Amino acid sequence: MSKFLHFTILFALVLSACGGQAAPTVPPTQPPPPPSSTVQEPLPATTIVPIASAVPIFTETPNLPTLSPTNLPDCTNKAVFVADVSVPDNTNFAPGISYIKTWRIKNIGTCSWNSDYSILFFSGENSSAPDKSPLSSTAPGATLDISVDLTSPTKIGSATTNFVLHSPDGTLIPIDSGYLLYVIINVTNGVASSTSSSIVTQTSATSVSAGPTVSVPGGACAYTLDSAKVAETISAINSYRAQNGSPALTVNSLLTQAAQTHAADMACNNLFYHNGSDGSTAASRVAATGYTALNMTENVYGSYPPLTGQGVVAWWATDQLDIRHNENLLSTKHKEFGVAYAFYNNYGFYVVDFATSK
């Protein structure tokens, strides 16, 4: 993620104990539980209604060469951090997992950036970071998503990797009040790569990269994780909240752990409800991680074929059979969340736990 010499570590993850979950195209074999304040019967497959406005129609234009503007000798280089597009602070990774870290920054100087500008590894855990990568063309006032391919260390614990931006003459580009873009992750054996690691919102200067998928053996089944879907869901929820005047939620590692536990249980046991195969509830799963919740709620979803992260958020936002899905997405009483995804036997299962700690 992105930060500066003076930074604040966001410790996050978020949960939601909303009503039931959406049903897949093929209904579960077991009968649904009776309706309650936290559980609802699986819902029929629904046409996804996008949250954003209608997609504009683009007409084909000739392919013209892209020309980089010539900077004046006295132009200035300066940037501000806008957002962590993927891998929020303190995201949990298993050792040795490949992921993509993406920061969004804005060019607030008077120089136009081009491929002569670059991002460089500076200090901290190397995480297999490339020594140097060029930036894409970015005019003054425009934003740019900068991505690097990284690998979580094999050593258990917190790992910080710092990067800087260089101008063509080798000088550092100020970012807010400092110079650093950084990513902080937790390397742990306790959570099976419940990570957010792909570019989920793009500017014209960047291209889409899919995050890694990881098969997790053991337990009830060898389900598959997809960090790209997790990252997209995190971004889609906070973007939707911003559109509706709600503050962004921060990712919490314990909430992510609870969400991933239930996502795996749903995938391996064909569940579409909040109660786990072991009788657990959303609240008990969160408490089992050591998180002390003042309040919490949960959204779940399972379907074949799987939805994208943006698609599942759109489904919850437009669900008219249980409006608590949308209420959870926009709630201001929850400050953190944890997002998880598991894929098995052609079904994709999402869990989001929203909460506020005591």
Side-chain angles (χ1 to χ4, degrees):
M1 56 189 46
S2 157
K3 309 307 178 200
F4 340 108
L5 289 176
H6 309 288
F7 63 89
T8 300
I9 299 179
L10 293 176
F11 199 98
L13 264 199
V14 188
L15 269 236
S16 150
C18 115
Q21 171 42 32
T25 301
V26 180
T29 57
Q30 62 191 60
S36 69
S37 59
T38 59
V39 179
Q40 106 180 21
E41 298 182 3
L43 302 176
T46 307
T47 300
I48 305 304
V49 180
I51 293 173
S53 57
V55 178
I57 299 175
F58 296 94
T59 57
E60 185 176 356
T61 57
N63 292 324
L64 299 176
T66 301
L67 301 178
S68 299
T70 301
N71 288 320
L72 297 175
D74 59 348
C75 72
T76 58
N77 285 300
K78 188 174 177 64
V80 293
F81 170 75
V82 177
D84 287 312
V85 177
S86 69
V87 189
D89 282 338
N90 298 306
T91 295
N92 285 356
F93 282 87
I97 297 299
S98 298
Y99 66 97
I100 301 172
K101 170 63 189 181
T102 303
W103 303 271
R104 179 164 299 150
I105 64 172
K106 183 176 182 179
N107 181 356
I108 61 169
T110 59
C111 297
S112 292
W113 302 339
N114 52 44
S115 59
D116 292 330
Y117 287 73
S118 56
I119 181 171
L120 287 80
F121 168 74
F122 181 72
S123 64
E125 187 72 43
N126 179 269
S127 298
S128 301
D131 291 335
K132 180 179 180 180
S133 300
L135 301 187
S136 298
S137 298
T138 310
T143 59
L144 173 67
D145 287 1
I146 301 176
S147 300
V148 292
D149 294 320
L150 301 172
T151 301
S152 61
T154 56
K155 181 180 178 181
I156 302 300
S158 178
T160 301
T161 306
N162 299 310
F163 297 84
V164 292
L165 302 182
H166 270 200
S167 63
D169 63 5
T171 57
L172 297 181
I173 299 177
I175 306 172
D176 292 315
S177 59
Y179 291 92
L180 295 182
L181 291 175
Y182 65 85
V183 55
I184 300 175
I185 64 171
N186 294 321
V187 182
T188 175
N189 285 323
V191 176
S193 281
S194 52
T195 60
S196 51
S197 64
S198 72
I199 307 169
V200 294
T201 307
Q202 303 297 322
T203 63
S204 59
T206 60
S207 59
V208 178
S209 289
T213 60
V214 182
S215 294
V216 182
C221 69
Y223 68 92
T224 300
L225 300 163
D226 190 332
S227 57
K229 284 184 168 59
V230 173
E232 185 178 357
T233 305
I234 291 170
S235 180
I237 289 174
N238 277 334
S239 294
Y240 180 54
R241 289 174 64 85
Q243 293 168 15
N244 289 274
S246 296
L249 300 172
T250 53
V251 176
N252 179 281
S253 60
L254 296 179
L255 296 180
T256 298
Q257 181 178 343
Q260 190 62 53
T261 296
H262 192 47
D265 191 17
M266 291 172 64
C268 294
N269 293 288
N270 199 33
L271 303 177
F272 303 90
Y273 313 103
H274 297 276
N275 289 343
S277 62
D278 59 355
S280 65
T281 65
S284 69
R285 290 188 294 270
V286 168
T289 68
Y291 186 98
T292 304
L294 178 63
N295 52 62
M296 69 85 52
T297 188
E298 181 178 80
N299 278 7
V300 299
Y301 184 92
S303 69
Y304 167 78
L307 295 181
T308 63
Q310 179 69 48
V312 74
V313 173
W315 194 97
W316 284 327
T318 57
D319 180 17
Q320 297 301 307
L321 295 180
D322 191 341
I323 61 173
R324 288 171 296 178
H325 285 125
N326 187 55
E327 290 173 350
N328 289 339
L329 292 176
L330 300 177
S331 172
T332 57
K333 70 178 181 179
H334 303 118
K335 308 300 181 184
E336 301 174 307
F337 66 166
V339 178
Y341 174 83
F343 176 85
Y344 183 69
N345 197 26
N346 295 323
Y347 281 79
F349 297 85
Y350 289 87
V351 177
V352 181
D353 286 331
F354 305 83
T356 297
S357 62
K358 291 183 179 179

